[in-house]
Amino acid sequence: MTETSSVHAQSHTAGASSSAPPAETTVRRLALGLSTGALAWSAVSFVYGFDPAAETGIKITDLGGLAFQFGAWSLLAIMVRTRATGVSRVARAMLQVERVLLALAMAWSVSHAFLPAQRDSVWMGILDAFWPLSMLGMFVIGVKVALSGRWRGAARFWPLVAESWVVVTLPAMAILGTSVSDVVGAAHLLVGYTTLGLIIAFRPELVRRED
């Protein structure tokens, strides 16, 4: 009986540990990483736009985009640890798929910045597709976070605001041209991702919950 009770106690402890919310300091650190990355890309985009012609501008915007991608990776880390999209297998898998898309988009950012001779290559073109795919994936995740209701208050709905970047900026580019869409996209980063990071950093309890 004693041995059986010990096994049950260990099992209960392991389960509680695996479902424990991340520490507030961890959430704040990751959230500020999101805000910093989004702010960096926004600032660079206000100066150079999203598609500069000069080599210096290309490198700086690529690296600014990479900073944002690291911030988005931090956001995904918070979402994974808090099960922001839900507790089902499909809901958790969404975040892992997005991590793959984002990792490939990050590979493009680094390659495009430092391998200018390869910018017209086939493999670079394939990697390039993962930039918009990763942003579309974030939009889908934003919808799922709002629907799942695991995050509360502003943190529940602001991911949808932030992650609507791709569905706001790309149509603006097609309809209004790059000069307008550059401003729209850069401003959206401030309103969306930068603000989302600050919301979570200052109110980490909105995303932390016991399961």
Side-chain angles (χ1 to χ4, degrees), residues 72-183:
W73 193 273
S74 296
L75 175 60
L76 287 174
I78 298 173
M79 289 179 169
V80 168
R81 297 183 189 190
T82 59
R83 301 180 184 180
T85 52
V87 298
S88 70
R89 180 178 298 178
V90 172
R92 297 195 306 271
M94 290 174 63
L95 297 173
Q96 301 307 327
V97 170
E98 176 59 25
R99 277 180 160 176
V100 173
L101 296 176
L102 184 57
L104 291 169
M106 293 170 78
W108 178 88
S109 295
V110 174
S111 301
H112 196 263
F114 296 110
L115 299 175
Q118 297 296 316
R119 286 175 185 159
D120 294 326
S121 64
V122 173
W123 67 268
M124 186 81 77
I126 293 172
L127 281 181
D128 187 20
F130 288 98
W131 235 129
L133 285 175
S134 67
M135 296 300 276
L136 282 171
M138 293 299 287
F139 176 68
V140 173
I141 286 171
V143 174
K144 189 64 171 67
V145 170
L147 292 176
S148 71
R150 289 182 58 79
W151 286 9
R152 302 179 299 279
R156 176 178 180 179
F157 296 103
W158 215 265
L160 185 55
V161 175
E163 292 160 5
S164 66
W165 186 91
V166 68
V167 299
V168 171
T169 304
L170 293 187
M173 182 182 298
I175 297 170
L176 303 173
T178 56
S179 59
V180 175
S181 65
D182 286 345
V183 175

Side-chain angles (χ1 to χ4, degrees), residues 10-90:
Q10 290 175 3
S11 176
H12 176 75
T13 301
S17 175
S18 64
S19 62
E24 283 194 3
T25 53
T26 300
V27 172
R28 286 196 174 100
R29 174 174 53 82
L30 292 170
L32 290 175
L34 169 62
S35 289
T36 301
L39 181 61
W41 195 28
S42 175
V44 166
S45 300
F46 271 123
V47 175
Y48 292 100
F50 289 97
D51 189 24
E55 182 62 26
T56 299
I58 292 173
K59 276 189 168 59
I60 291 175
T61 54
D62 285 343
L63 295 178
L66 182 64
F68 164 76
Q69 289 166 329
F70 274 113
W73 193 273
S74 296
L75 175 60
L76 287 174
I78 298 173
M79 289 179 169
V80 168
R81 297 183 189 190
T82 59
R83 301 180 184 180
T85 52
V87 298
S88 70
R89 180 178 298 178
V90 172

